[in-house]
Amino acid sequence: MTAYHSTDILIKDNGCTTRPVDPKLETMGRYDIEHIEKTVYELADSNDPLGPCVKEALQVIEKAYAHHGLDFTCLSFNGGKDCTVLLHLVTAVLSRLDKERKPLRTVFVTYPNPFPHVDTFVKVCVHRYQLECMAIPGPMQGALQEFLDHSIPRPKAVFVGIRRNDPYAETLTHFDMTDKHWPQFMRVHPIIDWTYKDIWDFLLKLGIPYCSLYDQGYTSLGSMENTQPNPQLKDELGSTFKPAYLLKDELYERCGRKSSSSISLH
């Protein structure tokens, strides 16, 4: 179990996309979270097709904080696209609710042979979003128990960036207690009903930096042992891959993944 700070591995652009992003989110310093609040809530209240999804997610996050409290609600973050969206949404809500600007408590469950791009991107996010991040080796069940046991105060709820088309997510709601034999806390799923397209529309519309692997044709991230660029995104010449946001059918989102019990970053 370690706190996440700087990294010794040099990764180009700190693991972040080189696509144009919101100029206020290009900084390597701490983000202006009031700017994040403004842009996210404006999108939620707009006539944009994405507005209702964003508004519902914000309401779920606000409800979680109202019921469990700011000090007892944490975030599971791993650098994947879904978690990056969730982190941005939670930050927007915290800008409204937490005027003390306390660091957001976060758990990052790690595993062997990770992509250094993901590792570096997470560490950049820890600084930009002002996270108090605890990195704990998997497997997931034991790591979550360790997180609960070493967190003061003990978390009662954890935001999780899972979506309906992820494995074992078919029957999940916005709020679900963990299974009987797992560490006990309320799982909060603000983006459970978002589509693959919703995720990318949100990231691109708001110009949010995301992990650079998605620009190389990866659409669902695991470890280096079980993940490759999505064959659906191979260009016409077959030599390079198109970026993840160009995948047209989300049913092929996990086509770059080999069957494995490893943790998925999505």
Side-chain angles (χ1 to χ4, degrees):
M1 179 179 63
T2 59
Y4 240 40
H5 299 298
S6 61
T7 179
D8 296 327
I9 301 175
L10 297 178
I11 297 296
K12 183 179 179 182
D13 299 303
N14 294 292
C16 301
T17 179
T18 56
R19 287 191 76 261
V21 298
D22 181 339
K24 290 197 174 184
L25 302 180
E26 286 183 313
T27 177
M28 291 303 297
R30 292 184 174 183
Y31 279 160
D32 176 357
I33 66 171
E34 291 182 353
H35 172 72
I36 293 176
E37 174 193 348
K38 178 177 182 294
T39 54
V40 170
Y41 275 90
E42 283 181 351
L43 178 57
D45 293 333
S46 72
N47 293 324
D48 190 284
L50 195 58
C53 287
V54 176
K55 179 171 286 188
E56 180 180 59
L58 294 173
Q59 290 171 343
V60 171
I61 296 167
E62 291 167 351
K63 183 177 180 180
Y65 278 125
H67 185 75
H68 298 286
L70 293 174
D71 293 333
F72 298 93
T73 309
C74 303
L75 169 73
S76 175
F77 180 68
N78 53 28
K81 63 185 185 302
D82 299 344
C83 281
T84 300
V85 167
L86 181 56
L87 171 60
H88 210 74
L89 290 165
V90 171
T91 299
V93 173
L94 282 177
S95 178
R96 287 197 169 186
L97 299 182
D98 185 11
K99 299 309 178 183
E100 295 182 27
R101 299 291 191 265
K102 290 178 288 188
L104 171 59
R105 287 198 295 163
T106 309
V107 58
F108 174 31
V109 180
T110 64
Y111 49 87
N113 204 22
F115 284 97
H117 307 70
V118 175
D119 186 71
T120 303
F121 178 70
V122 169
K123 291 175 181 178
V124 169
C125 288
V126 167
H127 184 67
R128 284 173 162 171
Y129 287 93
Q130 304 174 48
L131 307 180
E132 182 182 299
C133 185
M134 190 180 297
I136 307 175
M140 180 69 76
Q141 186 171 355
L144 291 175
Q145 186 65 61
E146 185 173 349
F147 176 63
L148 295 183
D149 291 344
H150 289 85
S151 295
I152 302 174
R154 188 182 179 91
K156 297 179 180 178
V158 179
F159 294 116
V160 181
I162 195 169
R163 291 187 291 113
R164 185 71 61 199
N165 67 336
D166 290 329
Y168 314 112
E170 296 89 349
T171 62
L172 293 179
T173 67
H174 286 129
F175 297 88
D176 293 286
M177 283 297 296
T178 49
D179 293 338
K180 181 178 179 181
H181 299 296
W182 278 67
Q184 291 296 289
F185 57 84
M186 180 64 71
R187 291 168 48 109
V188 185
H189 313 122
I191 59 172
I192 184 65
D193 291 316
W194 286 40
T195 65
Y196 182 86
K197 183 178 184 299
D198 292 336
I199 293 294
W200 282 110
D201 284 349
F202 184 83
L203 291 170
L204 299 179
K205 285 178 187 293
L206 296 185
I208 301 167
Y210 55 83
C211 181
S212 60
L213 289 175
Y214 293 113
D215 290 335
Q216 301 173 30
Y218 293 87
T219 53
S220 177
L221 302 180
S223 72
M224 293 179 67
E225 296 174 348
N226 71 353
T227 310
Q228 61 188 9
N230 194 319
Q232 296 289 324
L233 290 172
K234 188 173 289 188
D235 71 4
E236 290 73 13
L237 300 178
S239 56
T240 59
F241 292 83
K242 301 172 186 177
Y245 55 81
L246 292 180
L247 184 69
K248 297 185 183 301
D249 189 340
E250 70 175 53
L251 293 178
Y252 296 107
E253 179 180 355
R254 298 176 64 85
C255 280
R257 297 290 302 278
K258 301 175 186 177
S259 179
S260 172
S261 59
S262 296
I263 304 162
S264 175
L265 306 189
H266 307 302

XYZ file of all heavy atoms in Angstrom, residues 136-168:
262
model
N -2.876 0.183 -4.097
C -2.831 -1.100 -3.411
C -2.814 -2.220 -4.450
O -3.665 -2.246 -5.347
C -4.050 -1.279 -2.488
C -4.187 -0.094 -1.529
C -3.952 -2.583 -1.709
C -5.429 -0.140 -0.670
N -1.874 -3.153 -4.362
C -1.835 -4.271 -5.314
C -3.094 -5.129 -5.224
O -3.630 -5.363 -4.137
C -0.591 -5.064 -4.883
C 0.229 -4.101 -4.092
C -0.753 -3.204 -3.401
N -3.569 -5.595 -6.391
C -4.707 -6.490 -6.425
C -4.351 -7.869 -5.908
O -3.215 -8.094 -5.491
N -5.301 -8.792 -5.879
C -6.613 -8.710 -6.512
C -7.575 -7.744 -5.819
O -7.332 -7.322 -4.703
C -7.127 -10.156 -6.454
C -6.414 -10.774 -5.301
C -5.059 -10.136 -5.285
N -8.651 -7.460 -6.521
C -9.563 -6.397 -6.128
C -10.148 -6.580 -4.728
O -10.171 -5.647 -3.921
C -10.696 -6.300 -7.156
C -11.729 -5.228 -6.870
S -11.076 -3.564 -7.077
C -11.047 -3.437 -8.867
N -10.623 -7.785 -4.412
C -11.309 -8.000 -3.140
C -10.406 -7.690 -1.954
O -10.786 -6.967 -1.034
C -11.820 -9.439 -3.059
C -12.682 -9.711 -1.839
C -13.339 -11.078 -1.893
O -13.232 -11.803 -2.882
N -14.036 -11.444 -0.836
N -9.197 -8.214 -1.971
C -8.271 -7.967 -0.881
C -7.823 -6.526 -0.818
O -7.639 -5.960 0.273
N -7.640 -5.903 -2.000
C -7.200 -4.513 -2.040
C -8.252 -3.588 -1.440
O -7.930 -2.652 -0.695
C -6.893 -4.105 -3.487
N -9.511 -3.847 -1.745
C -10.579 -3.006 -1.194
C -10.691 -3.163 0.315
O -10.938 -2.193 1.033
C -11.906 -3.344 -1.871
C -12.017 -2.940 -3.347
C -13.319 -3.439 -3.944
C -11.881 -1.429 -3.506
N -10.491 -4.395 0.795
C -10.518 -4.605 2.242
C -9.398 -3.838 2.913
O -9.591 -3.205 3.966
C -10.400 -6.094 2.569
C -10.566 -6.400 4.051
C -11.954 -6.073 4.549
O -12.943 -6.636 4.081
N -12.061 -5.138 5.497
N -8.224 -3.862 2.310
C -7.087 -3.125 2.859
C -7.352 -1.622 2.847
O -7.011 -0.907 3.799
C -5.823 -3.454 2.063
C -4.555 -2.833 2.636
C -3.296 -3.306 1.933
O -3.374 -4.261 1.139
O -2.225 -2.706 2.192
N -7.969 -1.149 1.778
C -8.306 0.272 1.690
C -9.250 0.680 2.809
O -9.038 1.702 3.486
C -8.933 0.571 0.328
C -9.404 1.992 0.163
C -8.514 3.052 0.199
C -10.754 2.267 -0.025
C -8.950 4.362 0.043
C -11.202 3.574 -0.182
C -10.292 4.618 -0.146
N -10.275 -0.106 3.047
C -11.226 0.204 4.120
C -10.539 0.172 5.486
O -10.756 1.045 6.329
C -12.387 -0.787 4.097
C -13.321 -0.784 2.884
C -14.452 -1.780 3.093
C -13.885 0.600 2.599
N -9.707 -0.832 5.686
C -9.081 -1.016 6.996
C -8.084 0.088 7.337
O -7.864 0.381 8.519
C -8.369 -2.370 7.047
C -9.346 -3.544 7.036
O -10.536 -3.315 7.299
O -8.905 -4.674 6.747
N -7.486 0.693 6.320
C -6.444 1.699 6.570
C -6.917 3.132 6.316
O -6.120 4.062 6.374
C -5.214 1.412 5.704
C -4.449 0.198 6.136
N -4.786 -1.082 5.730
C -3.373 0.063 6.963
C -3.954 -1.947 6.268
N -3.090 -1.285 7.024
N -8.195 3.302 6.020
C -8.723 4.639 5.751
C -9.436 5.178 6.986
O -10.265 4.484 7.588
C -9.711 4.606 4.576
O -9.056 4.241 3.385
N -9.096 6.404 7.348
C -9.717 7.060 8.499
C -10.268 8.413 8.060
O -9.508 9.247 7.569
C -8.704 7.257 9.649
C -8.128 5.897 10.082
C -9.352 7.957 10.823
C -7.026 6.016 11.109
N -11.598 8.604 8.211
C -12.589 7.636 8.684
C -12.861 6.552 7.638
O -12.578 6.732 6.454
C -13.832 8.499 8.910
C -13.672 9.640 7.946
C -12.204 9.930 7.902
N -13.408 5.445 8.101
C -13.667 4.305 7.222
C -14.744 4.664 6.199
O -15.826 5.134 6.570
C -14.114 3.102 8.057
C -14.248 1.792 7.293
C -14.731 0.704 8.235
N -14.895 -0.580 7.571
C -13.949 -1.505 7.479
N -12.763 -1.261 8.033
N -14.174 -2.644 6.866
N -14.488 4.465 4.909
C -15.469 4.812 3.880
C -16.753 3.991 3.993
O -16.724 2.811 4.328
C -14.730 4.484 2.571
C -13.281 4.516 2.925
C -13.215 3.999 4.332
N -17.859 4.659 3.696
C -19.152 3.987 3.658
C -19.639 3.782 2.229
O -20.485 2.925 1.973
C -20.190 4.817 4.427
C -19.900 4.985 5.915
C -20.963 5.840 6.575
C -20.687 6.025 8.058
N -21.720 6.901 8.697
N -19.115 4.599 1.317
C -19.532 4.512 -0.084
C -18.335 4.795 -0.987
O -17.450 5.579 -0.634
C -20.654 5.504 -0.374
N -18.338 4.147 -2.165
C -17.246 4.324 -3.134
C -17.844 4.510 -4.519
O -18.666 3.693 -4.971
C -16.293 3.110 -3.141
C -15.187 3.314 -4.177
C -15.689 2.877 -1.758
N -17.454 5.586 -5.205
C -17.856 5.804 -6.589
C -17.080 4.839 -7.484
O -15.856 4.726 -7.380
C -17.564 7.237 -7.032
C -18.374 8.279 -6.317
C -17.761 9.221 -5.499
C -19.752 8.335 -6.475
C -18.494 10.196 -4.848
C -20.508 9.302 -5.825
C -19.871 10.233 -5.012
N -17.798 4.160 -8.390
C -17.193 3.191 -9.293
C -17.617 3.518 -10.722
O -18.807 3.710 -10.998
C -17.627 1.751 -8.931
C -16.965 0.741 -9.867
C -17.295 1.438 -7.475
N -16.665 3.538 -11.643
C -16.945 3.920 -13.027
C -17.316 2.750 -13.916
O -16.732 2.561 -14.980
N -18.293 1.978 -13.504
C -18.738 0.837 -14.292
C -19.934 1.244 -15.144
O -20.713 2.132 -14.771
C -19.099 -0.345 -13.364
C -19.199 -1.653 -14.147
C -20.375 -0.061 -12.573
C -19.285 -2.881 -13.273
N -20.071 0.593 -16.307
C -21.195 0.868 -17.208
C -21.964 -0.414 -17.514
O -21.470 -1.504 -17.333
C -20.688 1.508 -18.508
C -20.149 2.903 -18.317
C -19.818 3.553 -19.658
N -18.684 2.923 -20.313
C -18.755 2.228 -21.438
N -19.917 2.041 -22.039
N -17.671 1.699 -21.960
N -23.172 -0.252 -18.038
C -24.103 -1.366 -18.212
C -23.541 -2.497 -19.071
O -23.844 -3.664 -18.842
C -25.403 -0.824 -18.845
C -26.518 -1.841 -18.988
C -27.109 -2.199 -17.640
N -27.692 -1.030 -16.985
C -27.948 -0.955 -15.680
N -27.652 -1.976 -14.889
N -28.478 0.126 -15.152
N -22.723 -2.187 -20.075
C -22.236 -3.242 -20.960
C -20.940 -3.881 -20.462
O -20.343 -4.695 -21.153
C -22.041 -2.713 -22.385
C -20.918 -1.700 -22.487
O -20.575 -1.057 -21.506
N -20.341 -1.562 -23.679
N -20.494 -3.520 -19.258
C -19.329 -4.174 -18.665
C -19.741 -5.540 -18.094
O -20.912 -5.756 -17.774
C -18.743 -3.312 -17.540
C -18.081 -2.046 -18.064
O -17.553 -2.081 -19.192
O -18.102 -1.023 -17.350
N -18.785 -6.467 -17.959
C -19.119 -7.780 -17.402
C -19.756 -7.673 -16.012
O -19.319 -6.885 -15.175
C -17.744 -8.468 -17.316
C -16.926 -7.814 -18.388
C -17.377 -6.374 -18.396
N -20.816 -8.422 -15.809
C -21.527 -8.536 -14.519
C -22.245 -7.247 -14.098
O -22.606 -7.086 -12.930
C -20.572 -8.960 -13.390
C -19.670 -10.111 -13.759
C -18.306 -9.935 -13.912
C -20.200 -11.389 -13.974
C -17.480 -10.996 -14.271
C -19.389 -12.455 -14.335
C -18.034 -12.250 -14.476
O -17.219 -13.298 -14.832
